[in-house]
Amino acid sequence: MRWIGMALLALAAMTMVLGDALAASPRTSFGFRLDLLTPAGMSCAADAPGASVRQGRDLLGRPLLNVTGDLTGAAITCTTPQGARFTTPLPVDTRDRLAAQVDAVGVWRAGSDRMGLLINPDGDRFATPETHRFTRLP
C-alpha cells in the first residue's frame, strides 16, 4: 500500500511539472552560424531580452550564436568588415512549447547589399529551408 501512495505522489509531481512547462512561454533553442562562403571578418550579436545568449566562434573564426528561451523580441545583428550592418528578428515558432531546436544559417557575399537567413524547419536537414531577409541598417 505504501508503494501505491508513493507512486501517486510521484505522478502528481510529474503532472505539476508538465503543466508548468506547458503553461510557460515558448522555450526554443535557436542556433545561428554563417555559411562557409561568408568572407572573414563578419561579426554577429544577438539581442534577446527574454532569453540567454551564448556567443562563440567556429574553427574558421566565424560567429556562432545560440539563443535559448523565449524568442519574442529577439534579433540578430551582423556587421560586415566594411561596416555595413544588417538585422533580423528571430522567427518565433510556438508549435512545440516544450523544447524545439531551430538551426539557421546567415548568408552574405562580399559587395552585396543583402543578407539572408536560411532556417532549417523542424531540424530536417533535407527539407527546403525557409528564407528570411535581414534588413540593412543605415
Side-chain angles (χ1 to χ4, degrees):
M1 282 297 200
R2 189 170 68 170
W3 293 105
I4 293 173
M6 291 177 72
L8 287 174
L9 184 61
L11 182 62
M14 287 180 14
T15 304
M16 288 180 5
V17 169
L18 183 61
D20 288 343
L22 290 174
S25 61
R27 184 154 182 84
T28 303
S29 181
F30 188 93
F32 173 81
R33 64 182 172 84
L34 294 172
D35 73 334
L36 286 173
L37 301 176
T38 299
M42 180 78 106
S43 64
C44 297
D47 178 30
S52 66
V53 178
R54 284 190 331 208
Q55 293 183 320
R57 297 220 172 252
D58 66 8
L59 292 174
L60 298 176
R62 292 183 313 256
L64 295 173
L65 301 172
N66 196 341
V67 182
T68 304
D70 185 2
L71 300 182
T72 306
I76 291 178
T77 302
C78 293
T79 306
T80 68
Q82 293 79 21
R85 294 178 51 217
F86 297 90
T87 189
T88 188
L90 296 185
V92 178
D93 184 7
T94 57
R95 286 178 292 170
D96 184 356
R97 296 183 63 85
L98 291 178
Q101 173 66 37
V102 178
D103 293 318
V105 177
V107 179
W108 179 76
R109 301 292 175 261
S112 176
D113 276 5
R114 292 185 228 145
M115 186 169 174
L117 183 67
L118 303 175
I119 297 177
N120 208 0
D122 300 325
D124 182 2
R125 61 181 220 195
F126 298 109
T128 303
E130 300 171 18
T131 58
H132 297 271
R133 278 204 158 156
F134 278 75
T135 302
R136 186 173 179 146
L137 297 173

